Amino acid sequence: MTESYSDAVIRRLWVHRWAIFAVLTIGYFFVYFHRISVSVVGSDIVSDVGGTIGVLSSVYFWTYTAMQIPCGLLTDRFGPRASCSVFLVIASVGSLITCVGDEFWMMVLGKMMIAAGMAVIYVPLMKLVSVWFPKRDYAVLSGVVIAVGNVGAIAAAGPLSLLADAVGWREVFLILGTITLILAVACAAVIRDHPSQRGLPSTEDVERSMGIEAEESSDAKVPVLRGLRIVVSGGRRFWPCALAYFLVYGSIMTFQGTWAVTYFNNVYDFALSAAWMVTGLGIGKILTTVVIGALTTRGIIRSKRRTMIAGCAAFTAVWFIIYLFAGDIDSYWFWFGVSFLFGFFGGFLTLTFTQVKEWYPIAVAGTAVSATNIFLFLGASIGTTVSGWIIGTTYSLENFSAVWGIMAFASLIAVILLIVSRERGPSDPLFGIDEVRMASKE
């Protein structure tokens, strides 16, 4: 017999799920803020303590990349609450080291600690969304998370430039360290890994009481290495999307997160700050992620795969515009528009997470997302490192053009990879569901 639940119980479940979502989504705002900040304050840091912008950016992404698989494993093994709370403290300490450091190695150490801490936000957040919210809400909530992250990217562009000018870049990191510590405390106080820890019914129990049968249990447990093996054995369900986002995100972070401001400041003579170019890019990404998430949830977008192919093709076209017209069009608003379109079409690839996750059981959701995530940041790590080698400290148009050309062709390859990817259909079973059920009984 199916149990029914009172309005008070349903209301408590609703309040707790949204409180958890709010805390970690605010945390994700600062993930993007840190990620983009080098593009704006990197020159100030290098001027004060030496070093290079390329190293500051790439060390962040290499550390973030190295944390992705451990992040998923920690999330599935110890739970999102413990993982987020501990690693946000690490990020807070990294921000404070960056604030007080007077040598470049201290900047590098601070960036590594920030990256390690901020890496343990997105995967736990998406795991909690899988556990606390109905499955049909995943796409739109994922879009909201990415949109909030991109608000952080916007804040780390033009507004950060103004703030750094007003109080100094060191004080910016002091503020960030304090906020991050507050978020760590909030995570420990608010987050619970499963509704049962608040004496509440699971999401699938509530849906079952309304006549909706759940495909799996949200509290199923799988050994972490077995979960990783399930994910990477997914073939066309996993690898084409992961590799496509590897190429696209690498090109996005090379431009948005590292070189855009330096490029426009050194190649052009605009009266307005180039930091607002990155702001326009972030606005474009916000629009596309929110719109795509909403359209997917309402069933208007029926194929994530075809939508990503179209968006990535348009993104590739924008990259070729940047490459072919580099240094030729001396119009601020032309390049602002190009930056906006760059962000808008680059946002289409956020559907990768939804397409990949839909193939896997909740028990390995954290591992599936982190396994995808590692390719994003491996792409960003390699992209920023290689671009740093090519561009160096000369900031010449020739060197920038060489990097833009590489990124344009990488995006073209991503389109081909998306074409060969496999999207889950209504009749397709979850990949690895039998192994998850067996593991849960052991």
Side-chain angles (χ1 to χ4, degrees):
M1 182 175 178
T2 303
E3 183 178 355
S4 60
Y5 300 98
S6 67
D7 290 343
V9 169
I10 301 299
R11 190 178 305 111
R12 284 180 59 210
L13 180 65
W14 187 92
V15 169
H16 282 302
R17 69 167 49 139
W18 283 109
I20 290 169
F21 183 78
V23 168
L24 277 182
T25 303
I26 292 170
Y28 199 64
F29 170 96
F30 289 100
V31 171
Y32 265 63
F33 191 97
H34 278 292
R35 192 177 299 169
I36 304 301
S37 63
V38 170
S39 178
V40 176
V41 299
S43 296
D44 294 334
I45 295 174
V46 169
S47 295
D48 277 6
V49 300
T52 65
I53 295 173
V55 170
L56 273 182
S57 184
S58 62
V59 74
Y60 180 94
F61 288 114
W62 280 114
T63 306
Y64 202 104
T65 301
M67 280 299 301
Q68 291 311 298
I69 292 299
C71 170
L73 300 181
L74 289 167
T75 299
D76 286 338
R77 176 64 179 85
F78 297 105
R81 182 191 184 198
S83 301
C84 290
S85 300
V86 170
F87 278 87
L88 279 172
V89 172
I90 293 172
S92 176
V93 174
S95 296
L96 296 177
I97 289 174
T98 305
C99 169
V100 301
D102 56 3
E103 296 186 36
F104 188 66
W105 70 265
M106 297 182 72
M107 300 297 106
V108 171
L109 175 62
K111 276 294 177 185
M112 290 176 67
M113 294 181 69
I114 292 168
M118 289 298 169
V120 191
I121 295 290
Y122 183 75
V123 172
L125 173 52
M126 290 297 99
K127 179 66 178 285
L128 288 167
V129 168
S130 298
V131 171
W132 279 85
F133 288 83
K135 192 171 185 177
R136 62 181 177 275
D137 293 340
Y138 187 90
V140 68
L141 292 177
S142 176
V144 170
V145 169
I146 299 299
V148 171
N150 278 287
V151 173
I154 289 175
L160 173 59
S161 179
L162 296 176
L163 179 62
D165 288 343
V167 302
W169 67 267
R170 292 185 183 275
E171 285 70 19
V172 167
F173 283 97
L174 175 62
I175 294 169
L176 288 173
T178 303
I179 293 173
T180 306
L181 185 60
I182 293 171
L183 282 171
V185 174
C187 285
V190 174
I191 293 174
R192 294 298 181 272
D193 298 336
H194 193 273
S196 61
Q197 295 176 354
R198 287 289 192 187
L200 295 168
S202 66
T203 299
E204 65 265 24
D205 285 341
V206 173
E207 293 199 324
R208 195 176 293 115
S209 72
M210 298 185 293
I212 303 172
E213 282 302 317
E215 192 173 11
E216 53 177 322
S217 172
S218 62
D219 58 2
K221 300 293 183 183
V222 175
V224 290
L225 293 180
R226 186 181 297 185
L228 183 59
R229 187 175 68 249
I230 291 171
V231 172
V232 299
S233 63
R236 287 170 54 208
R237 302 169 185 85
F238 172 74
W239 288 102
C241 284
L243 292 172
Y245 219 164
F246 163 86
L247 295 169
V248 168
Y249 198 75
S251 73
I252 289 174
M253 286 298 104
T254 297
F255 187 73
Q256 178 188 14
T258 308
W259 294 114
V261 174
T262 303
Y263 167 68
F264 286 116
N265 280 337
N266 284 273
V267 173
Y268 298 93
D269 187 25
F270 296 137
L272 297 175
S273 171
W276 295 105
M277 298 284 190
V278 181
T279 300
L281 194 157
I283 292 172
K285 290 183 75 174
I286 288 174
L287 289 178
T288 189
T289 49
V290 171
V291 169
I292 286 178
L295 293 179
T296 301
T297 301
R298 288 170 172 75
I300 297 173
I301 291 179
R302 298 185 180 276
S303 172
K304 300 172 186 66
R305 174 178 165 273
R306 288 197 294 269
T307 302
M308 286 193 294
I309 291 170
C312 191
F315 177 77
T316 301
V318 173
W319 253 126
F320 274 101
I321 290 173
I322 294 172
Y323 169 57
L324 295 172
F325 294 99
D328 289 341
I329 300 178
D330 193 22
S331 167
Y332 184 91
W333 295 111
F334 172 83
W335 290 113
F336 186 91
V338 169
S339 298
F340 172 84
L341 292 176
F342 183 98
F344 182 82
F345 291 117
F348 276 63
L349 267 291
T350 56
L351 283 171
T352 294
F353 290 109
T354 306
Q355 178 167 314
V356 169
K357 178 196 165 293
E358 285 181 349
W359 278 108
Y360 297 98
I362 290 175
V364 293
T367 305
V369 173
S370 66
T372 304
N373 227 21
I374 193 171
F375 282 92
L376 271 72
F377 294 100
L378 183 60
S381 301
I382 293 174
T384 53
T385 300
V386 172
S387 66
W389 291 340
I390 296 172
I391 295 171
T393 58
T394 59
Y395 308 147
S396 69
L397 175 59
E398 180 182 6
N399 289 346
F400 280 117
S401 294
V403 172
W404 301 163
I406 292 170
M407 299 303 154
F409 281 101
S411 301
L412 183 60
I413 295 171
V415 176
I416 298 171
L417 287 166
L418 290 172
I419 291 172
V420 303
S421 70
R422 184 179 174 190
E423 184 175 11
R424 187 184 177 210
S427 61
D428 292 323
L430 287 170
F431 185 79
I433 185 64
D434 291 336
E435 190 169 352
V436 167
R437 288 169 178 162
M438 289 177 59
S440 299
K441 295 176 181 178
E442 294 175 357

